[in-house]
């Protein structure tokens, strides 16, 4: 089951990346960062996870961020919304449409 944790995300020129991945890419340090509640789904694609969430929850303010290191997606937002998303999609991964 996915676990809700706090992670730092970096925003820079229309990119949102988890801080560990940002540092591994050796990107410029002057980007803005903030901490968010989130959970990780390994091996998933952003579009598939967004579709699975929207199919089961009409209104939510979670954001799905693609990750390459490790491969998968971070789903971030308010803790209560993340709990609802985990319950709605199950902690398992949505079926890929690729």
């Amino acid at each position: 089951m996915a676990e809700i944790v706090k992670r730092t995300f970096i925003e820079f020129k229309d990119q949102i990346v988890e801080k560990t991945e940002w540092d591994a890419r050796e990107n410029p340090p002057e980007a803005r960062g903030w901490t968010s509640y989130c959970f990780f789904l390994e091996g998933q694609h952003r579009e598939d996870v967004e579709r699975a969430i929207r199919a089961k929850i009409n209104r939510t303010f979670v954001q799905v961020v693609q990750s390459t290191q490790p491969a998968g997606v971070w789903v971030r937002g308010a803790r209560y919304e993340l709990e609802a998303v985990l319950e709605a999609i199950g902690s398992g991964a949505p079926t890929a449409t690729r």
Side-chain angles (χ1 to χ4, degrees):
M1 175 165 192
E3 179 182 355
I4 297 174
V5 296
K6 275 186 150 180
R7 292 284 181 120
T8 301
F9 290 84
I10 305 296
E11 181 176 356
F12 187 74
K13 295 185 181 179
D14 298 331
Q15 293 183 73
I16 299 176
V17 181
E18 195 273 332
K19 185 176 183 335
T20 307
E21 182 176 351
W22 181 266
D23 293 341
R25 292 181 185 181
E26 298 180 3
N27 287 322
E30 68 269 6
R32 177 174 80 116
W34 65 95
T35 302
S36 297
Y37 284 108
C38 59
F39 62 84
F40 187 74
L41 296 174
E42 186 175 351
Q44 295 301 304
H45 297 280
R46 184 180 54 80
E47 297 85 8
D48 296 332
V49 174
E50 285 175 341
R51 191 176 309 109
I53 291 169
R54 304 287 181 247
K56 297 189 178 182
I57 301 176
N58 290 333
R59 298 180 71 150
T60 185
F61 295 100
V62 298
Q63 183 177 35
V64 181
V65 178
Q66 190 71 49
S67 173
T68 57
Q69 296 292 326
V73 295
W74 290 100
V75 181
R76 53 187 219 109
R79 187 175 186 91
Y80 74 93
E81 288 198 282
L82 295 175
E83 290 168 350
V85 167
L86 281 173
E87 185 175 320
I89 66 173
S91 63
T95 304
T97 58
R98 298 175 196 275

